[in-house]
Amino acid sequence: MPIHNADVATVFEEVADLLDLQGANPFRIRAYRNAARTLSQLSEPVAEMIRDGRDLSELPDIGDDLAEKIEVIVQTGTLPLLEELEKEVDPAMTELMDVPGLGPSRVRTLHDELGISSRAELTKAAEEGKVRTIKGFGEKSEQNILKGLKDIGEEKRWLLSRADPVVHSLKAYLEDHEAVEKVDVAGSYRRRKETVGDLDLLVLSDDGVAVSNHFVEYEDVVDVASKGDTRSTVRLRSDIQVDLRVVPPDSYGAALLYFTGSKAHNVALRNRAVNKGMKINEYGVFRVNGEEERIGGETEEGIYGLFDLPYIVPELRENRGELEAAQGGHLPNLITLDDLRGNLHAHTTDSDGQDSIQAMAEAAKERGLEYLAITDHSPAVAVAQGLDSDELRRQMDAIDELNEMMVGVRVLKSIEVDIMKDGSLDLPDDVLDELDLCVCSVHTSLGLSEKEQTERILRAMDNPNFHILAHPTGRRLNQRGPIDVDLDRIMEAAVERGCFLELNAQPQRLDLNDVYCKRAKELGLKISIGADAHARDELDFLKYGIDQARRGWLEPGDVLNTMSWNEIKPLIDARR
DNA sequence: GCCGTTTTCGGCCCGACTGTTTTCAGTCG
């Protein structure tokens, strides 16, 4: 079984958790966590790097020791150190560290004093009032633990699309206050991550007390977790946590940078500061020789400038090479929504969409798109009333008629054809041949082994009517994980055969993810950003696709549908 | 355990807030 980067990262995270519980050297623990992060964000598979004889210790935060441990994990699937640690520390205890308010120290105390090593045991002890008897814990801690235990079961990250309306109304409410000069939403929201865990609001104001008071009085606030002059935290009725920071003008840029993150980006930037005899925190940038001298902090641009770096957009701030790229002057010229010239994934009332072909085409035209592929389902998706050959041919005729009538947008004849379990396509080749292009996807047999799933898709790709692989991993955020598939093999095969992969822009899919988008770019594989719209307004999902594409370093030239149809058509025909 | 254009040893980001203290440890981001 191939070992993926994520598998190695998981082993290192488990090691770090167990070392944490042992009270080991915190820097050693951090080293394992840093390495896990490097691995989970690395776009190239380490197994492949090992096979190619590459030196893993050249990766950031990987030294000789961890490079060797990675090789062991790739070869054996496990690590002797982890097995040792699991004998010394009850691994069940790690689940206690996820309880808000509990870190390794307090978990250890709970274990040593009350013999607690699971959430169930902790719940029981807290309910019986035993936790408050331990030194360092009190009644309040006990209540918070019970609350944390309750919340943890319901913890979900929010889709970006669900956070958007919440952000807009809260922002408007804050901006309405006279002491507020400016409001920015920082954090993963600003980095346009596919999901956000909480919202980080930054307010420019000289009156922190007034702003904080106004903030906690917002009508949707149901719980005030903390409240101070510069920082407050609340929970909204919709169960999202909002952190507010009030910042004066001269440190606004520093605060925006700091609270936008990512943490990894900030740490990397800070290390650069230290090496240059400077210090950077949320208040500004300081020169530290003898006494501190403030040298910047008003704007993000100014701060990057102090490190001789150009401005780095929030979407890239993940410490995945953006600082090095900025330094070398080769930051990507990221794609924007305006670069898209068409959309190659849309449904109509002919299958499970809500609008007619014409309505969808007009909506595409209104959004400035030059072409729109109609990709209704094939028969295998019975619940969606997928089209059989005859129905598809009738739809093709309707599209021909529409194209004669409509000006300014071209409707393409297409299909979202199912990839069957055996790797065949769900419609015969003679009808697929008549289409402008085919979008292919997996909707069934999601539970196949990685080998079976990969070979199934590769077999489908052998068909010359296979052009775009839609939502390649099938994941649904907060609902189900990706199918087991060797995407690296799929992507390499797609490059060889002249196929493309989709970045499905539905907010709950956003599939491919950012890391694989970057991998595709490195392989020279073009991505189609597809709205997968089931209604007119869902063409606006494209903006979420663009967000994800930018996080994946994609430039206009990396994306198929920044090309005109006349440029794309020969690429499709070359397969046939 | 990683890292280095002042270092191969001795650093490792750091400040706000809470709860339990009575000057601070732990957690969080």
Side-chain angles (χ1 to χ4, degrees):
Chain A
M1 193 186 87
I3 303 291
H4 300 292
N5 293 355
D7 302 321
V8 186
T10 302
V11 172
F12 283 171
E13 279 292 350
E14 284 168 359
V15 168
D17 282 345
L18 294 172
L19 286 172
D20 224 342
L21 286 169
Q22 281 193 330
N25 176 355
F27 299 109
R28 184 179 173 216
I29 297 166
R30 186 186 295 172
Y32 279 98
R33 295 203 196 280
N34 288 342
R37 195 176 52 213
T38 293
L39 287 165
S40 61
Q41 301 195 338
L42 186 68
S43 49
E44 195 175 357
V46 277
E48 198 168 287
M49 293 177 71
I50 292 168
R51 206 161 52 233
D52 294 347
R54 307 255 300 277
D55 182 7
L56 297 182
S57 70
E58 279 172 16
L59 294 170
D61 299 318
I62 310 284
D64 290 342
D65 182 84
L66 292 184
E68 198 182 319
K69 287 191 167 78
I70 292 172
E71 291 203 30
V72 171
I73 297 166
V74 167
Q75 277 154 19
T76 67
T78 183
L79 184 67
L81 171 66
L82 178 61
E83 292 172 1
E84 285 291 314
L85 288 168
E86 282 176 344
K87 279 180 212 151
E88 294 164 18
V89 189
D90 185 350
M93 273 166 70
T94 57
E95 70 176 31
L96 293 175
M97 297 227 287
D98 295 334
V99 179
L102 293 187
S105 169
R106 306 187 92 194
V107 168
R108 255 197 328 276
T109 305
L110 287 166
H111 179 260
D112 294 345
E113 298 289 325
L114 297 175
I116 291 169
S117 59
S118 71
R119 283 186 202 162
E121 287 167 6
L122 178 59
T123 306
K124 187 160 174 285
E127 279 169 353
E128 290 171 356
K130 286 180 181 162
V131 172
R132 69 179 75 176
T133 63
I134 309 172
K135 187 166 183 292
F137 289 76
E139 204 170 324
K140 201 90 183 244
S141 297
E142 194 172 74
Q143 290 307 313
N144 285 339
I145 285 170
L146 280 172
K147 192 162 163 293
L149 282 164
K150 187 166 162 284
D151 288 347
I152 205 169
E154 301 159 4
E155 188 190 26
K156 283 258 162 94
R157 289 180 64 89
W158 275 47
L159 296 183
L160 200 50
S161 59
R162 258 193 89 199
D164 269 335
V166 174
V167 165
H168 292 145
S169 37
L170 178 54
K171 196 162 174 260
Y173 169 81
L174 288 170
E175 282 167 346
D176 206 30
H177 193 275
E178 55 184 11
V180 172
E181 285 181 48
K182 191 176 175 194
V183 180
D184 272 300
V185 186
S188 47
Y189 181 86
R190 184 162 178 246
R191 300 201 312 279
R192 306 311 286 164
K193 219 173 156 198
E194 59 207 20
T195 60
V196 295
D198 60 9
L199 296 173
D200 296 294
L201 263 59
L202 217 59
V203 172
L204 177 59
S205 172
D206 288 320
D207 190 350
V209 178
V211 174
S212 296
N213 286 336
H214 182 61
F215 175 57
V216 299
E217 280 164 16
Y218 182 54
E219 59 178 354
D220 276 354
V221 168
V222 291
D223 184 35
V224 180
S226 72
K227 181 165 172 282
D229 295 352
T230 64
R231 182 172 170 176
S232 305
T233 299
V234 302
R235 182 159 290 277
L236 300 183
R237 194 188 315 281
S238 41
D239 206 31
I240 191 162
Q241 179 176 302
V242 186
D243 292 337
L244 177 93
R245 272 97 177 179
V246 185
V247 184
D250 57 352
S251 51
Y252 196 76
L256 190 55
L257 184 69
Y258 183 89
F259 293 113
T260 295
S262 67
K263 193 175 168 182
H265 179 86
N266 286 349
V267 168
L269 200 58
R270 242 166 245 232
N271 286 336
R272 279 172 189 250
V274 171
N275 289 338
K276 288 187 139 200
M278 299 197 272
K279 183 178 92 168
I280 175 169
N281 59 27
E282 60 263 57
Y283 300 106
V285 186
F286 306 86
R287 195 179 301 288
V288 279
N289 40 2
E291 62 194 67
E292 278 185 12
E293 181 200 358
R294 182 195 174 80
I295 52 174
E298 291 80 5
T299 66
E300 289 185 323
E301 288 83 353
I303 295 170
Y304 283 116
L306 286 171
F307 299 98
D308 300 320
L309 297 173
Y311 179 73
I312 300 175
V313 297
E315 294 95 317
L316 290 179
R317 299 182 196 168
E318 299 289 347
N319 197 26
R320 294 179 191 155
E322 71 277 10
L323 287 165
E324 293 77 3
Q327 190 166 18
H330 41 79
L331 277 174
N333 177 24
L334 296 180
I335 187 170
T336 66
L337 189 57
D338 286 343
D339 291 318
L340 293 185
R341 296 175 73 169
N343 170 41
L344 298 174
H345 195 161
H347 296 266
T348 73
T349 45
D350 285 348
S351 67
D352 60 350
Q354 289 170 26
D355 288 305
S356 67
I357 301 172
Q358 184 170 348
M360 293 299 287
E362 282 166 356
K365 188 176 160 184
E366 280 165 21
R367 285 159 178 79
L369 298 178
E370 297 168 13
Y371 53 89
L372 174 76
I374 299 299
T375 56
D376 276 309
H377 286 287
S378 65
V381 190
V383 287
Q385 296 162 326
L387 277 58
D388 63 25
S389 294
D390 290 344
E391 290 164 331
L392 182 54
R393 286 198 167 96
R394 279 199 290 279
Q395 188 186 63
M396 287 190 238
D397 290 341
I399 290 175
D400 283 337
E401 279 178 33
L402 188 61
N403 274 330
E404 282 183 21
M405 195 182 85
M406 276 190 81
V407 182
V409 64
R410 179 181 177 126
V411 182
L412 300 174
K413 293 172 277 190
S414 185
I415 185 86
E416 181 180 4
V417 61
D418 259 61
I419 299 169
M420 308 306 281
K421 193 179 175 186
D422 64 1
S424 63
L425 298 180
D426 187 27
L427 283 166
D429 284 330
D430 62 339
V431 66
L432 297 180
D433 281 339
E434 297 169 27
L435 295 165
D436 289 314
L437 80 163
C438 294
V439 173
C440 306
S441 57
V442 166
H443 290 113
T444 53
S445 301
L446 302 177
L448 296 184
S449 71
E450 179 179 309
K451 186 165 182 287
E452 292 169 317
Q453 197 70 270
T454 305
E455 282 169 5
R456 167 197 196 177
I457 294 172
L458 291 176
R459 265 201 300 279
M461 225 178 244
D462 285 335
N463 187 318
N465 279 313
F466 189 117
H467 303 122
I468 298 174
L469 177 62
H471 43 73
T473 76
R475 71 161 179 183
R476 284 177 176 272
L477 295 164
N478 285 344
Q479 289 172 35
R480 69 169 185 236
I483 54 174
D484 279 329
V485 68
D486 188 342
L487 263 189
D488 286 290
R489 262 184 82 195
I490 301 273
M491 291 197 289
E492 282 162 14
V495 173
E496 282 166 19
R497 295 163 210 207
C499 300
F500 309 98
L501 261 62
E502 179 183 73
L503 192 189
N504 188 291
Q506 281 198 20
Q508 72 274 25
R509 288 194 185 270
L510 292 171
D511 178 16
L512 295 178
N513 69 17
D514 47 4
V515 171
Y516 277 114
C517 283
K518 188 159 183 253
R519 174 74 171 145
K521 178 197 180 91
E522 287 161 5
L523 289 171
L525 171 61
K526 275 197 203 309
I527 296 296
S528 169
I529 300 178
D532 197 358
H534 285 68
R536 277 175 290 190
D537 289 348
E538 290 185 4
L539 285 171
D540 292 329
F541 286 164
L542 286 173
K543 73 175 182 216
Y544 293 106
I546 291 290
D547 286 335
Q548 182 86 318
R550 289 168 63 85
R551 290 179 52 78
W553 291 54
L554 299 191
E555 302 180 84
D558 301 317
V559 175
L560 185 67
N561 46 324
T562 59
M563 301 164 79
S564 69
W565 173 243
N566 282 338
E567 291 168 320
I568 296 175
K569 192 171 185 307
L571 303 179
I572 301 292
D573 292 344
R575 285 228 70 208
R576 287 169 158 166

